Amino acid sequence: MSARHPDDISFDEFDEINFSRSGVTAFQKITDTVLSRRGFLGKGIAYGTTAFVMGTTSLSGLTGCAFNPEGFRQVDANNFDTITVPNDHSWHVVSMWGEPLWSESAAFDPVTRGTAASQELAVGDNNDGMALFEKDGKSVLVSNNEYVNLKIIYGNRESKKPENADDVRKGMAGHGMTVAEIAVKDGNWGIVKDSPFNRRITANTPMEISGPARGHDMMKTAADPAGVLALGTWNNCGNGRTPWGTYLSCEENFNGYFSSSDDAYKPSEELTRYGVGNKDWGYAWATVDERFDISKNPNEPNRFGYVVEFDPLDPTSTLKKRTALGRFKHENAELVVADNGQVVVYLGDDERGEFLYKFVSSGKYSKVGDNSNLLDDGILYVAKFNDDMHGEWLALTPETTGMKSQAEISILTRQAGSKVGATTMDRPEWVAVHPNKAEVYVALTNNKNRGKKPNAGGDETPVGGPNPRAANHYGQIVRWRPDKGDHTATGFEWDLFVIAGNPTVHNDAYGGSKNVNSGNMFNSPDGLFFDENGYLWIQTDGNYSDKGDFAGMGNNQMLLGDPETGEIKRFLVGPKECEITGYAWSADRKTLFVGIQHPGEKGNSHYPGGGQSVPRSTIIGINRKDGGAIS
Ligand code: FEO
Ligand code: CA
Ligand code: CA
Ligand code: CA
C-alpha cells in the first residue's frame, strides 16, 4: 500500500492532489540514452518496434500476439467493477476478508462488518503478499493482511472510524497474516475450514526479536524490559520465502499506528525519520493499549519495521523478527542463494527518497543442515547508483557509518543509509530476481517529490540515474546485473527496463519508454514477480482516475513483460479502486493466485459480490478454460 492518511486517502491520491506538473526536463535525452545503450539493453532499440506493433494490434481489439509459450490475448484497459482476464481464462474467488476459518467462526456480517471476536477467527483485511506451501498433498496459503479500510470495516459507524474498544480490537485483528489450507472443490479453490494448518497472526501475536537488535536498549519497554519479545506485526506488505521452507512477511507503514496522548510531546528525530508522530492514521490503537502511546512508550516503535520469518506448515511455530535485515518500511524480501551458498535478500524501503538494500548472510545455506538462524547474521548493504550505469553496494557497519553498533544500524537503518550516501530512490516497491540468470528488477512506483524535496532525513533527491523524472507520477522499473553474475558482489551494472508514462498525453519523457504504448500503458508499478520461464509479472497500485495524465489506463492491472525483448502486455484488469498485489502458483501451474486489495477504497465498488454488497479484498484463482497449465 501507500501510506494512509487520517482521512483515509491514499498517498498516491494525495500525490495527485498535490502534484504540480513540472516543465520539460532533459529527461528525454536520458531516456533515449538509457534505452538505446548497448550491451545490457542490446535489444533496446527493438523495444519500440515490437511494442508499437503490439499496441496497434490491441487497439484494434482483434488479437494479441503469442507472448509466452501458451500465449494470451491482451486485455484492454477498462473501468469495470470486476476482474477482466483474457477470454480463454476464467477467475474465481478463493478467499476474502472476513471469511471464517473455523466452524465456530461467525459468518461475515455485512451490516456490522464483524466484531473483534469474529475477525480474530476470520481472514484478515487487505491481503497483500502471499505464498503457497505444499505438505503431504495439502496446499497452505499464507497471505499478509496489510491494513484495514477504515471506511469499509467501520462502514457501520457514522464516523467511519472505530468508535469503541471492540471496534479498535477488530481493526487490530484485521491486520497481520492469514494462514489457510485451500483445496479445490467443484472446480474452484476455496478455504478448508477447521484445517489444522489454519492460523491467524495479528497485531497481538507474540514474536521473538532476533538478530543484532535483540536486547538492545532501544528495544526495551516497560512490558518487555529485556527487549526480546514483541507483540504482533502489522502493515505486512510484500513477502518472501526461503528454500528452507519458511515465509517472510515485511512490515511496511508501521508508523501510522502510534500516537501521543500528550499533544506537546516532541518525538525524537529517530522516530520522525520513520514518520512516527503524535497522530495515528485513524486506527486509534493507543486507546486500547498504551504501548501505542509514544509519550509513554517511546521505544515501542523501534520494535516494528522488520522482516518476520516463520514456518507456516507448523501451526505452533514461533515468529521471529529478523532485525539483521534492517528496519524501514519494508516492501518485500526477495531471497536468492548465491553460487557460493551465501543467502542474499534484496529489500526495498517504500517511501519517497528512501533506499534499496541487500543483506548477505555470513553463513551458507545447506540443503540438509540447519538454516534457522541464517538471517540473523550477515552484512546489510545499501545501493548507490552512479550515472555511468554502474553502481555499488555500500556496507552498513559501525566503521562505514560511524554508528555505535550493528544493533543500532539494525534499528536506525535509514539513518545508516544516509550516512554512507546511498541513492535516494522513487519509492522502491517489490524486488524480483530472474530465475535463470543473475539479474534483479525493482519497481520504483512513483515519487512526486523527485527533484522537489529531500527525504525525511534531509537527503537531496536529484533528478537523474535510475530516478530520471522530476515529480515522477508514473514510475519505472530498474534492473541490475551483479558483477560476474555473483549476487554477493559489491558492484553492479544497471539500466531501466521500462519507464511508465502516457504516450497519448505526453511526447516527452512523461510519455514513457519505447516499450510503452497506447495499448499497454499503466502507472505505478508495484508487485514484481518472475515466473519459472523468466517472464516478469508486473502489478500496479496507481492512479485509476482514467483521466488527464492517466487517461486510457483504466483500473489497476497486471501485465506480463519479456525481459529479453522489452515487450509488455496487459493480462488482467482489477475492479474499481483496487490495487493488484500478491502472486502465487498452484503446484501444477494450472492456477495463478492473485490478490485484489482495497476494492472500493473511496466507496465506489461492490466487488466481488455485486449488487449493493460490501466491497471485500480477495485472493482470486485464475485458470485456463481448457484446463491446461498457464505457464
Ligand atoms: Fe504496501 Fe509499498 O506497498
Ligand atoms: Ca496496498
Ligand atoms: Ca504501492
Ligand atoms: Ca506494494
Side-chain angles (χ1 to χ4, degrees), residues 1 128 146 237 252 331 350 429 526:
M1 78 178 263
D128 203 302
E146 191 177 32
C237 184
E252 192 186 26
E331 184 69 23
D350 180 9
E429 299 248 28
D526 187 334

Side-chain angles (χ1 to χ4, degrees), residues 439-563:
E439 199 167 282
V440 194
Y441 291 62
V442 64
L444 300 179
T445 198
N446 57 52
N447 181 1
K448 70 160 186 157
N449 292 345
R450 173 62 55 188
K452 308 277 174 192
K453 227 175 126 172
N455 70 11
D459 305 316
E460 293 303 326
T461 63
V463 173
N467 310 284
R469 288 175 297 189
N472 170 23
H473 57 320
Y474 290 128
Q476 64 268 12
I477 296 175
V478 178
R479 65 178 161 187
W480 65 92
R481 284 180 176 167
D483 286 353
K484 299 191 174 133
D486 176 4
H487 285 286
T488 69
T490 53
F492 59 89
E493 190 185 353
W494 67 269
D495 78 351
L496 292 163
F497 171 64
V498 62
I499 301 170
N502 193 329
T504 69
V505 176
H506 300 284
N507 57 15
D508 60 6
Y510 297 85
S513 53
K514 291 171 186 169
N515 49 344
V516 170
N517 56 68
S518 58
N520 72 358
M521 60 187 175
F522 61 94
N523 74 89
S524 306
D526 187 334
L528 277 192
F529 310 87
F530 270 104
D531 62 30
E532 59 187 5
N533 301 317
Y535 291 99
L536 183 68
W537 295 82
I538 304 165
Q539 301 175 327
T540 73
D541 170 22
N543 185 303
Y544 41 69
S545 66
D546 212 13
K547 294 196 179 97
D549 272 4
F550 307 95
M553 293 181 179
N555 296 343
N556 276 308
Q557 52 187 285
M558 183 162 80
L559 309 101
L560 188 55
D562 183 341

Side-chain angles (χ1 to χ4, degrees), residues 1-2 4 128 146-147 526 541 579 581 597-598:
M1 78 178 263
S2 333
R4 254 58 190 176
D128 203 302
E146 191 177 32
Y147 65 108
D526 187 334
D541 170 22
E579 70 173 86
T581 185
Q597 195 192 56
H598 63 69

Side-chain angles (χ1 to χ4, degrees), residues 54-64 72-80 82-87 517-522 546 552-559 568-575:
M54 276 188 52
T56 311
T57 311
S58 70
L59 271 183
S60 72
L62 292 175
T63 181
F72 67 90
R73 174 174 166 151
Q74 174 159 281
V75 169
D76 289 335
N78 69 59
N79 304 303
F80 305 148
T82 186
I83 309 279
T84 314
V85 289
N87 281 337
N517 56 68
S518 58
N520 72 358
M521 60 187 175
F522 61 94
D546 212 13
M553 293 181 179
N555 296 343
N556 276 308
Q557 52 187 285
M558 183 162 80
L559 309 101
I568 296 173
K569 218 168 142 184
R570 185 182 300 110
F571 179 80
L572 174 152
V573 178

